[in-house]
Amino acid sequence: MSKKVTTIKDIAERLSISIATVSRALRGSSDIKRETKLAVMEMAKEMDYHPNLLASSLSSKKSKILGVVVPTINRQFWSNSISGIENVAYDKGYKVMIFQSAESFQKEVEIVETLANSRVDGILLALSKETNTYNHIQSIMDRGIPVLLFERVCSEINSSKVITDDFNGSKEVVQHLIDRGKRKIAYLSGPISLGVCEDRLNGFKEAHKDNDLHFDQNLILEISDFTFEAAENALIKLWEMEDKPDALFCFADILAIGALEASRKLGISVPEDLAIAGFGNDDICRFVTPSLTTMSQPSFEMGQLAANLILEEINSEDDEHQPHHRTIKPILVIREST
Amino acid sequence: MSKKVTTIKDIAERLSISIATVSRALRGSSDIKRETKLAVMEMAKEMDYHPNLLASSLSSKKSKILGVVVPTINRQFWSNSISGIENVAYDKGYKVMIFQSAESFQKEVEIVETLANSRVDGILLALSKETNTYNHIQSIMDRGIPVLLFERVCSEINSSKVITDDFNGSKEVVQHLIDRGKRKIAYLSGPISLGVCEDRLNGFKEAHKDNDLHFDQNLILEISDFTFEAAENALIKLWEMEDKPDALFCFADILAIGALEASRKLGISVPEDLAIAGFGNDDICRFVTPSLTTMSQPSFEMGQLAANLILEEINSEDDEHQPHHRTIKPILVIREST
DNA sequence: TTGTAGGCGTTATCAT
DNA sequence: ATGATAACGCCTACAA
């Protein structure tokens, strides 16, 4: 009952020619007579032939597949950057397989290993927030698989990287808040162990320094759950302080939205009592009330750039490709919340 | 320079045993002496062995991989259902590869073909909105690959299916609007060619019938772009009518949000002048002003169910597995917009 | 331009 | 419990 799948061997037999010729004809190889090529194509169609990519990749050592690993696809920054990656990958004849680590180190390791063992041509990776050792990555790079880190990167790995200019982006947001007359600016950060978060914190500090403003460590809250609820709780905590902040900068839009929600519940008027700014520019920012000021990250373009870089590396001849580092500037989008 | 990758053959040689034994040991086969098994494992570690999944799948005809194809990952319904799929798949030792068709028929065909040619063990598919012929699906089913359609399904294919109860869900929303005293209810639909849209429209009509309300075809707008802007324009058009609607039901939350935005610009007060309801219950619904009434689709659970069904089919002995059809009831979430 | 034959890395079937 | 060896389906020198 299991239907007989036709292979190039079957085609060869029916046409009384060699397997090699069929293989070449199917792949549009150069030195092939027009007629035989056409004959093969026709027979392939007639016999409902479909190439076995496993066999093909195994033999050719190329899969024309890119692997992408992100913490989650359920946030616009990530899904948009994936679209950017696909946009250029498909153009150049590559397919992309998407995986989510769910912010789990364990899963990230498994996925990266599977990808490598499946012989994808390259891996685009954004680290999970739990990740702080990098053997799994070094290992596959040592095995000769091109890796590119984007957005969530680390200094320990010497690969190509595409990141946001977090330091200056953050600095600019804070400067904007200061320009609005705010002086006690709180910051909702993700885990400082993440490079992104560290850079944004440093930008935050730098802006304070530039303006001779006191940097108050008590106003820095580090939260590890990227959820609305976590942000709500954080704001509630901030508002219990005797010396309340007059502005809040959030590491990600999702947190800013949570904070906005909390301030509505607490009766805090935004931006008068508390100005709020986020980072990312998810669609939702335009639609909340008040609409949310945020740093717009060109996620789609980041994806495109990342894909271009790794494809360049994949198709480069020399074995010791020099890794590229690219930084993309985010753009401040000012809305009602500040 | 290209590093030598170690294979089971290398291990066999170093241990002076046969590759068959190594293969068995690595896979924890039963009849293997403890010592040899341990020796193999150790040597594998020492030589930094990694299995080649291509070779393994080629030979065993199993990949332990599920393919998932959705129109886009950039909407919560889809990303959540994928999480549901992964949730059960990973538990049962399967990995899942995610692909987006970007609502393009052409891309859907390519992806499905690639997936089949890569010998994934099963394919979970939500049709693109362009899709209205189904040979590509029938073809891979004929090749013996289990396929499950979810959310975006069609009657032409006899596979397992998991769908939302769109008819009753829609009916219930409309009934709710009627209960709120609304009488002229407009409907922003997606392409009626989509089964989902047709069912929801039918539910819409049914509710009218149940309440002896006149069904006005002029109040049905079919839009094909699932964007905020498309919805805004649609509402503007509706509002130019001499006989304006007093309620608006939208096929998807994203459209409802767009309509909300448009009504703000037009000075329409929601829900007094116009009640608005969506479908899906994306996070954003809670945070817009006024917050949005919507039909909550249990997307994560749908994904879980879908994965369970297809895995059951994959692991069923008999060749002629009977397809299952499951319908999941959405839940009305009433908020300020109605 | 085409054919031959070995190889890609595993699994699986017989033997032993 | 282990070993040979033939698949798996395709690619690619090397020959012809």
Side-chain angles (χ1 to χ4, degrees), chain A residues 234-276:
Chain A
L235 181 56
I236 291 172
K237 199 170 299 174
L238 279 174
W239 216 248
E240 283 168 351
M241 297 174 57
E242 73 287 12
D243 205 22
K244 300 183 189 353
D246 55 11
L248 175 65
F249 173 39
C250 298
F251 152 74
D253 286 336
I254 185 172
L255 302 182
I257 301 291
L260 210 56
E261 182 69 5
S263 48
R264 212 169 52 108
K265 290 178 184 167
L266 293 174
I268 304 169
S269 74
V270 178
E272 293 75 11
D273 297 346
L274 183 73
I276 299 182

Side-chain angles (χ1 to χ4, degrees), chain A residues 105 128-134 156 193:
Chain A
F105 172 71
S128 93
K129 75 180 177 201
E130 286 180 9
T131 304
N132 52 28
T133 74
Y134 310 97
E156 285 84 348
S193 57

Side-chain angles (χ1 to χ4, degrees), chain B residues 161-267:
Chain B
K161 291 168 193 170
V162 174
I163 56 174
T164 307
D165 188 350
D166 292 300
F167 177 82
N168 286 307
S170 169
K171 194 173 107 176
E172 204 175 323
V173 172
V174 176
Q175 184 62 53
H176 164 69
L177 292 170
I178 295 173
D179 291 345
R180 284 289 191 263
K182 304 300 183 179
R183 288 295 173 270
K184 282 176 298 187
I185 305 171
Y187 178 45
L188 240 53
S189 172
I192 300 294
S193 56
L194 282 181
V196 214
C197 294
E198 192 185 348
D199 289 350
R200 290 185 196 171
L201 179 58
N202 287 334
F204 181 92
K205 289 177 180 172
E206 183 79 1
H208 279 67
K209 201 172 296 173
D210 286 353
N211 292 270
D212 294 321
L213 262 186
H214 171 62
F215 167 76
D216 182 356
Q217 182 67 48
N218 293 322
L219 290 177
I220 310 300
L221 259 56
E222 192 178 334
I223 65 184
S224 56
D225 260 4
F226 303 154
T227 63
F228 301 114
E229 289 71 22
E232 291 194 38
N233 294 332
L235 181 55
I236 291 173
K237 200 169 299 174
L238 279 173
W239 216 247
E240 283 168 350
M241 297 174 57
E242 72 287 12
D243 203 24
K244 301 183 190 354
D246 56 11
L248 176 66
F249 172 39
C250 298
F251 151 73
D253 285 336
I254 185 172
L255 302 182
I257 302 291
L260 210 56
E261 183 69 4
S263 48
R264 212 170 51 108
K265 289 178 185 167
L266 293 173

Side-chain angles (χ1 to χ4, degrees), chain A residues 11 15 17 22 25-26 35-44:
Chain A
I11 299 181
L15 254 31
I17 58 178
V22 176
L26 251 19
E35 318 157 36
T36 47
K37 182 168 173 177
L38 291 178
V40 169
M41 301 293 255
E42 194 172 349
M43 183 58 74

